[in-house]
Amino acid sequence: MTHPLDHLPRAGHGSDSDSLEANFSDLHPPLTQRQAFIESQRCLYCYDAPCVEACPSDIDIPRFIREIAEDNINGAAQTILEENILGGSCARVCPTEILCEQSCVRNHDTECQPVLIGLLQRHAVDHMHFDAHPFLRAADTGKHIAIVGAGPAGLSCAHRLATFGHQVTIFEAEAKPGGLNEYGIAKYKLVDDYAQKEIDFLLEIGGIEIRHGKRLGDNFDLESLRRDYDSVFLGLGLGTSRQLGLTGEHAEGLMPATDYIKELRQSEDIGDLALAQRCVVIGAGNTAIDMAVQMARLGAGAVTLVYRRGVEAMAATGHEQEIAKANGVRIITWAQPEQVLLDATGRVAGMRFARTEPHGDTLAATGETLDIPTDAVFTAIGQAFDDASLSDVRASQLGREAGKIEVDGNFRTRLAGVYAGGDCIAAGQDLTVQAVQHGKLAAQAIHNEIMAQQEVA
Amino acid sequence: MKAFAQKPDVDLSIEFAGIRSPNPFWLASAPPTDKAYNVERAFEAGWGGVVWKTLGEDPAAVNVSSRYSAHFGKNREVLGFNNIELITDRSLATNLREITEVKKRWPDRALIVSLMVPCVEESWQAILPRVEATGADGIELNLGCPHGMPERGMGAAVGQNPDLIEQVTRWCKQYYSKPVIVKLTPNITDIRVAAQAALRGGADAVSLINTINSITSIDLDNMVAKPTVGSQSTHGGYCGAAVKPIAMNMVAEIARDPETQGLPICGIGGISNWRDAAEFAALGAGAMQVCTAAMLHGFRIVEEMQDGLARWMAEKGYRSLAEFSGKAVVNTTDWKYLDMNFQTIAHIDQDKCIQCGRCYIACEDTSHQSIAKLIDASGARRYEVIEEECVGCNLCQITCPVEDCISMVPQPSDKPYMSWNEDPRNPFRESVTATN
């Protein structure tokens, strides 16, 4: 299959690759030692701190910030990693502006601004220097747990299970572990191959094996996992992108944003990437913003993000929207895709949108349309897990809820011994930090169940 | 050039123990007053007076390297300062010559000479006429230096012995005609004893405090205190903002002691701004000496000190320092005279509260469990004082990061004043009621 953007020029054409690379350096530069120290002093060390309540992964934020202030970086890092083994990447990708930092008491008018919790967390994890791995593995239990997916949920689950002394095997479809962190986050949010480095650190705990190229429903199935392992955790990512459902969906010049972001993140030389001088991104979430901003930074002249509802309904946070605007991305609201406009050769030449307006809780077309000429269209209208992965006899018995896997409060699916967490379950905000928490709690639940069974036996 | 601006209509000039000064801010005897160069710069900056760094007999003292250390706050602000310097390490003749010249050039400024010589009459008899010849306005006896000099029988070794304080003061009054200020050491049990001894010796005033024996910090890598001289250290003299509460207590003790009441007091110890100066004055200090703040920020701080003090005085209607000097002394008493029937209770201003919970956890863990943590209908946290449990201890107010958010509210009471002496709960109640 040919690449949908092969006909476009390369990003490196006409510009030197060093300056292109520079466009993808850290979006928020890390704090210096001194900045971290000064900022840490701003933390009021709240009791029952609101930031902790707002953190999906239960990190004791006031404690780790106090540890930074007390010149105890390793202590701070350990405080973070004890609750969130992917605390380094979460510090970089978390929408702190709607989580911990939004809850900071220093948001009150009289307090200037919230403590920069995300950057402080990054500082602690970036500067830790342990002589030995800071987490211990309990004596081997002889139990072996299978995990599907080496994304944040699966890795977090694996790490926690390993600390309990269990053996873990992770089945991963892709060539690298990391899931969203490795393949789906804007390049400038996780630079310097950080996702891989963090996983290398995580795996130092031992007892975790990752088998790549293993796709559930393709070259292995749930039934065999249930047979061969003491328990199973499904940390499936969202493998497919939602489609526009329009004619021309598969034309050259149109592709899911996630596919492009994956290429971008994996590319050896971003100068080789296809560059759409004019491009349209359809969607309103962080993926849409990531896509639009990255295309602008690759050198696109006109990047337009189109959303069918108003700004206030956008899933991307205000902070993300600001990043888009700062990068020259034009945001058009109240317009929904109506037709992919093709040129004589069948390639994307533009996109026709129907103007919308609110009609009660639904959207109504106004009858007006809007044509935007473009070289490429990127869709970022949501993802779903690939149903094919859950098509075997056993997997089809998993309960479903809102198109995802149904679990109970302990991350148990309807199939005994099978747990699930992260993006593939209904509860959640599709955040890395949420996935980490699911994996961690599921590991605890799995451990409790296995050990209880052992006692009975 | 700045625009002409309205200045507060107050008179900052003082006459302290017979010494006149255009404002109450003097530089204390220390490195900033060790030579003409610094003192001239200080006078140019606006300081009302200086106490020239302590002179001694020749040969001059020899100092070590290094000499200072500090007790730092979290943002690297200096909370307390520490030094192991000795008295001047320049010759007596040089100092005397410069003192003479500076006094001639700045006749309106107070110039006091700090002195420390061995505790024998001949030594004082020899140096005092030479000091008098400089034209300086007075002398200050350094009976407080806590390091180095006491080992040689001087400084705090004298200040810790009331008989020696009295004796040395007497010699000075005998061989010197101008005001004699006795500088006291805080490294003692009861400052009143030292002040009484100075008064008996004929002192015109006392100044306090000198520095406090201290070790500010340890270099944990090399296991040696700071300041480090080679691989060793020694205790130094503590000063700076941290010592202000100690100094103010000692000033108040002398100010309200029946024996020393009315003895002029020059306040020293952590005075860093106009408010500190006003507080010392309120406790009876008629002049203030400053050192650490100037060493940390330069002589320019005197501008803010003068301006701030003048504005505050104008606001309060005080036209001179004398009008409020000592006003807080009458309200300083012994514990046994405090009103047992007075009750105050914390109140949290919910509009100002930022819900950090610091008051709650402090009270809950370490005090009286008198703050309730509530969650309102919207899920927002809210902290409320449980008034019946509150003893009015102030801890919540102190832990609150927001100024004026927690206030202590005096409770109405129909009970009359009752001291511990009168309190029926006091098993050792005195039969005759004392008053304050």
Side-chain angles (χ1 to χ4, degrees), chain A residues 3-10 248 250-255 260 274-282 291 295 299-304 330 340-343 345-353 371-379:
Chain A
H3 190 281
L5 303 185
D6 266 352
H7 59 291
L8 295 176
R10 303 294 102 180
H250 302 289
E252 281 184 53
L254 191 149
M255 72 186 292
Y260 192 90
L275 171 67
Q277 271 300 338
R278 301 171 302 171
C279 67
V280 167
V281 179
I282 300 170
M291 181 65 225
M295 198 43 88
V303 180
T304 309
R330 184 165 67 129
V340 183
L341 305 175
L342 306 176
D343 66 12
T345 65
R347 289 172 176 158
V348 167
M351 192 73 206
R352 175 165 297 163
F353 294 91
D371 286 359
I372 303 176
T374 185
D375 306 318
V377 172
F378 299 98
T379 54

Side-chain angles (χ1 to χ4, degrees), chain A residues 127-423:
Chain A
H127 291 85
M128 63 186 183
H129 48 88
F130 294 106
D131 293 335
H133 194 67
F135 295 96
L136 298 173
R137 187 165 143 75
D140 198 330
T141 58
K143 301 292 178 185
H144 200 156
I145 292 119
I147 291 178
V148 183
L155 289 166
S156 162
C157 187
H159 182 267
R160 185 54 63 98
L161 287 169
T163 64
F164 291 136
H166 306 303
Q167 191 70 33
V168 179
T169 298
I170 305 180
F171 297 86
E172 168 59 43
E174 298 289 348
K176 293 182 185 176
L180 186 77
N181 282 358
E182 179 59 45
Y183 294 107
I185 295 285
K187 190 173 166 71
Y188 48 74
K189 289 180 181 169
L190 272 173
V191 303
D192 298 334
D193 209 12
Y194 186 79
Q196 185 60 51
K197 288 177 188 163
E198 185 177 47
I199 292 164
D200 291 343
F201 168 77
L202 179 151
L203 294 176
E204 281 175 35
I205 185 82
I208 303 171
E209 180 205 1
I210 304 180
R211 294 190 198 157
H212 292 282
K214 306 292 273 183
R215 191 177 297 275
L216 184 64
D218 185 354
N219 50 19
F220 72 105
D221 60 26
L222 190 54
E223 178 64 24
S224 61
L225 294 186
R226 289 188 75 224
R227 190 180 59 235
D228 300 341
Y229 295 89
D230 295 291
S231 193
V232 177
F233 175 75
L234 300 175
L236 303 170
L238 302 178
T240 63
S241 297
R242 289 216 178 88
Q243 308 235 327
L244 294 170
L246 300 175
T247 311
E249 185 104 38
H250 302 289
E252 281 184 53
L254 191 149
M255 72 186 292
T258 49
D259 289 356
Y260 192 90
I261 292 170
K262 186 173 170 181
E263 277 176 34
L264 174 64
R265 286 196 57 89
Q266 299 305 315
S267 122
E268 293 284 327
D269 176 2
I270 55 177
D272 285 343
L273 290 165
L275 171 67
Q277 271 300 338
R278 301 171 302 171
C279 67
V280 167
V281 179
I282 300 170
N286 288 351
T287 301
I289 302 272
D290 281 2
M291 181 65 225
V293 171
Q294 292 189 115
M295 198 43 88
R297 291 190 169 210
L298 271 179
V303 180
T304 309
L305 190 148
V306 187
Y307 178 44
R308 62 200 174 111
R309 294 181 187 275
V311 167
E312 63 290 339
M314 288 178 75
T317 64
H319 175 71
E320 290 287 329
Q321 293 175 37
E322 288 305 316
I323 293 171
K325 288 175 194 161
N327 281 277
V329 174
R330 184 165 67 129
I331 298 178
I332 293 177
T333 51
W334 302 109
Q336 69 182 6
E338 188 171 271
Q339 188 184 344
V340 183
L341 305 175
L342 306 176
D343 66 12
T345 65
R347 289 172 176 158
V348 167
M351 192 73 206
R352 175 165 297 163
F353 294 91
R355 279 294 190 180
T356 58
E357 60 186 8
H359 193 79
D361 288 341
T362 58
L363 277 178
T366 63
E368 282 178 55
T369 59
L370 170 71
D371 286 359
I372 303 176
T374 185
D375 306 318
V377 172
F378 299 98
T379 54
I381 53 174
Q383 292 159 262
F385 62 73
D386 191 352
D387 266 332
S389 60
L390 297 181
S391 57
D392 73 86
V393 178
R394 277 297 177 192
S396 60
Q397 291 171 358
L398 291 166
R400 300 300 182 88
E401 189 181 356
K404 296 185 174 182
I405 300 170
E406 180 197 40
V407 292
D408 67 10
N410 284 318
F411 300 90
R412 279 189 298 226
T413 68
R414 281 197 205 164
L415 278 178
V418 178
Y419 293 73
D423 286 353

Side-chain angles (χ1 to χ4, degrees), chain A residues 37-38 41 43-50 53 69-70 105-106 108 110-111, chain B residues 74-76 351-358 360-361 373 379 381 383 401-402:
Chain A
F37 196 67
I38 291 172
Q41 313 289 341
C43 174
L44 291 172
Y45 197 44
C46 294
Y47 178 71
D48 253 3
E53 286 175 13
E70 302 290 350
V105 299
R106 293 221 131 170
H108 285 257
T110 51
E111 300 295 311
Chain B
K74 270 296 157 54
N75 290 313
R76 221 183 136 72
D351 290 337
K352 287 185 175 156
C353 176
I354 60 173
Q355 293 89 37
C356 67
R358 284 167 36 143
Y360 168 79
I361 197 58
K373 180 186 169 186
R381 58 186 64 198
Y383 297 93
V402 180

